[in-house]
Amino acid sequence: MKIVEARVIVTCPGRNFVTLKIVTDDGVTGVGDATLNGRELAVASYLRDHVVPALIGRDPARISDTWEYLYRGAYWRRGPVTMTAIAAVDTALWDIKGKVAGLPVYQLLGGRARDGVTVYGHANAPTVDEVLTEVARYVELGYRAVRVQTGIPGLETTYGVGKDRMFYEPADSAVPSEAVWSTERYLAHVPTVFARIRQEFGPDLKLLHDVHHRLTPIEAARLGKSLEPYALTWMEDPVPAELQEGFRLIRQHTTTPIAVGEVFNSIWDCQTLITEQLIDYIRTTVVHAGGITHLRRIFDLAALHHVRSGSHGATDLSPVCMAAALHLDISIPNFGLQEYMRHTPETDAVFPHGYTFADGYLLPPEEPGLGVDIDEELAAQYPYRPASLPVNRLEDGSMHNW
Ligand code: CS2
Ligand code: MG
């Protein structure tokens, strides 16, 4: 079998997505997500201009070898653009392998290690009163875990809290919009939110909170400590994670579990965090961390160090990534939680998929391969629209306090 074509499809059914579709001489096709929020066209070019020509004629069965060829062969290793492009190829090749074998991908990864994939939804609203309604909505839908974000009194906007409730999208304008941030106001407010939520919903519901890298280690330690009475499942991205050793400081002060890694793209980004047991959940994903092949390597390292998976699953990760994530989630021993931010009906129509939600769990599709595709005709009706993630500044106008 040989690869005869690979198409890079850019579409915007409400938000931008980049998808790679690999075609073999037998007519079997495979899809991979290649979306990098706000930097979509960089990955599209990396694939079209540099990767696709080298794929033509290759044996699609050689997944590991192709991964090494693209990673080592390029000389320039790692980085979000490179690793997203490699992920797309890797994911598409797993899809093809599953179709050729006549098995869903999770069967090729060892079969089910659990009955369903526990997912968490996003409850976000400007005020605490409003967010209670949002949490109740997720509980009503059957969710067992909810991430909670609210506006901060005195701040005009807060990242993670959008205009829409169910379909929140942070990339909002062609040139980044700017928002003002106050650590003092934030640290004072968040514990009051979780006190209310625990009071209303009791001890069973799993609660999560995303700090979006806004604090220093000692500030994060204080936040973690002040949230201990409310027993969060995790505090996410408390600080920027370039300095992995920085997490030692947070760890010395708080028992609030820590989840990190949605912006990581390789095992080297989380090696210290995992091997020193500085975190509890690793949030790397299929699309941004080199595909199923590399992500499984990260999760295996994590398993040795009591770290569980908690993959990123925001709306900028397409249904192709979600399907791939679910095959991995259901098959690994150290799965923790999967983020599940629902896509809009327009996006769901462009990416027909067979995963299902019931009772707080997602189940991967049962058909051979990943069980997801792209409707290219429909995709063509939604041309690319530039959109960037917002920028944050402190009240004095500076950007370098976190
Ligand atoms: C967030 C995302 O889902 C999350 O945990 O951090 O909203 C993230 O900011 C976006 O996916 C960025 O593309
Ligand atoms: Mg996050």
Side-chain angles (χ1 to χ4, degrees):
M1 213 186 212
K2 278 191 171 66
I3 296 172
V4 291
E5 196 189 349
R7 297 195 284 275
V8 180
I9 305 143
V10 182
T11 181
C12 185
R15 72 147 358 271
N16 293 313
F17 294 106
V18 181
T19 310
L20 179 71
K21 188 160 199 170
I22 294 181
V23 185
T24 70
D25 53 357
D26 287 8
V28 181
T29 61
V31 284
D33 184 16
T35 310
L36 184 61
N37 202 358
R39 296 291 183 268
E40 292 87 358
L41 299 186
V43 184
S45 158
Y46 192 107
L47 283 168
R48 267 189 201 125
D49 299 331
H50 306 292
V51 172
V52 169
L55 290 179
I56 306 304
R58 290 184 71 85
D59 177 358
R62 296 180 62 165
I63 299 180
S64 285
D65 182 57
T66 302
W67 197 96
E68 299 293 331
Y69 173 80
L70 294 174
Y71 181 80
R72 292 171 200 278
Y75 190 78
W76 308 106
R77 300 182 186 191
R78 304 163 60 184
V81 175
T82 298
M83 296 304 277
T84 301
I86 295 178
V89 176
D90 183 81
T91 309
L93 295 183
W94 278 101
D95 192 17
I96 290 171
K97 195 175 278 298
K99 287 179 181 170
V100 170
L103 291 170
V105 167
Y106 76 81
Q107 292 291 10
L108 304 178
L109 298 172
R112 281 171 194 261
R114 59 193 41 76
D115 297 332
V117 172
T118 311
V119 296
Y120 70 90
H122 281 211
N124 67 83
T127 66
V128 185
D129 285 336
E130 289 164 290
V131 96
L132 291 174
T133 313
E134 296 308 307
V135 176
R137 186 205 314 228
Y138 280 98
V139 171
E140 187 76 7
L141 285 167
Y143 282 76
R144 295 154 190 271
V146 183
R147 181 187 105 159
V148 181
Q149 310 292 133
T150 67
I152 310 299
L155 297 185
E156 211 172 296
T157 56
T158 311
Y159 189 82
V161 182
K163 286 175 229 86
D164 287 333
R165 298 283 88 95
M166 284 299 269
F167 303 117
Y168 167 62
E169 174 51 62
D172 54 4
S173 55
V175 172
S177 61
E178 300 207 2
V180 175
W181 174 258
S182 160
T183 297
E184 292 75 16
R185 291 174 203 261
Y186 173 75
L187 288 179
H189 183 63
V190 176
T192 68
V193 176
F194 283 92
R196 281 284 301 282
I197 301 212
R198 272 288 174 235
Q199 203 183 358
E200 296 280 332
F201 293 92
D204 287 348
L205 187 62
K206 292 183 201 298
L207 294 175
L208 301 83
H209 179 67
D210 194 343
V211 186
H212 288 112
H213 326 265
R214 299 277 193 267
L215 302 176
T216 65
I218 201 68
E219 291 162 354
R222 181 179 141 202
L223 178 65
K225 246 181 157 166
S226 63
L227 291 173
E228 280 171 20
Y230 317 114
L232 263 61
T233 296
W234 79 45
M235 166 172 82
E236 178 176 332
D237 286 335
V239 298
E242 286 95 328
L243 183 70
Q244 295 182 47
E245 297 88 329
F247 283 76
R248 291 182 192 141
L249 189 64
I250 310 176
R251 225 36 178 174
Q252 280 160 20
H253 291 284
T254 179
T255 56
T256 294
I258 301 171
V260 174
E262 66 181 46
V263 302
F264 294 169
N265 49 72
S266 86
I267 199 164
W268 307 105
D269 299 328
C270 44
Q271 189 191 10
T272 304
L273 291 174
I274 290 174
T275 58
E276 289 193 23
Q277 301 176 43
L278 299 177
I279 57 172
D280 302 278
Y281 296 88
I282 179 71
R283 281 183 45 73
T284 38
T285 49
V286 172
V287 58
H288 298 140
I292 291 174
T293 300
H294 194 65
L295 192 56
R296 192 167 59 163
R297 191 157 291 168
I298 294 176
F299 289 163
D300 282 344
L301 178 68
L304 303 182
H305 298 278
H306 302 286
V307 176
R308 287 184 279 180
S309 74
S311 285
H312 189 199
T315 39
D316 48 298
L317 286 64
S318 89
V320 175
C321 177
M322 180 55 78
L326 294 173
H327 287 283
L328 203 49
D329 291 339
I330 204 145
S331 65
I332 57 168
N334 57 325
F335 167 78
L337 265 182
Q338 169 68 52
E339 181 177 13
Y340 175 43
M341 217 173 149
R342 287 169 190 248
H343 289 109
T344 60
E346 291 79 10
T347 297
D348 283 340
V350 168
F351 296 97
H353 54 264
Y355 51 79
T356 49
F357 174 84
D359 206 18
Y361 301 111
L362 272 176
L363 291 175
E366 282 299 331
E367 59 247 58
L370 294 174
V372 61
D373 208 343
I374 179 163
D375 179 335
E376 291 181 65
E377 260 177 48
L378 193 56
Q381 292 176 23
Y382 299 106
Y384 169 79
R385 279 202 317 256
S388 299
L389 289 165
V391 164
N392 254 269
R393 292 185 188 277
L394 292 176
E395 286 163 300
D396 70 357
S398 66
M399 292 188 67
H400 202 265
N401 254 33
W402 55 76

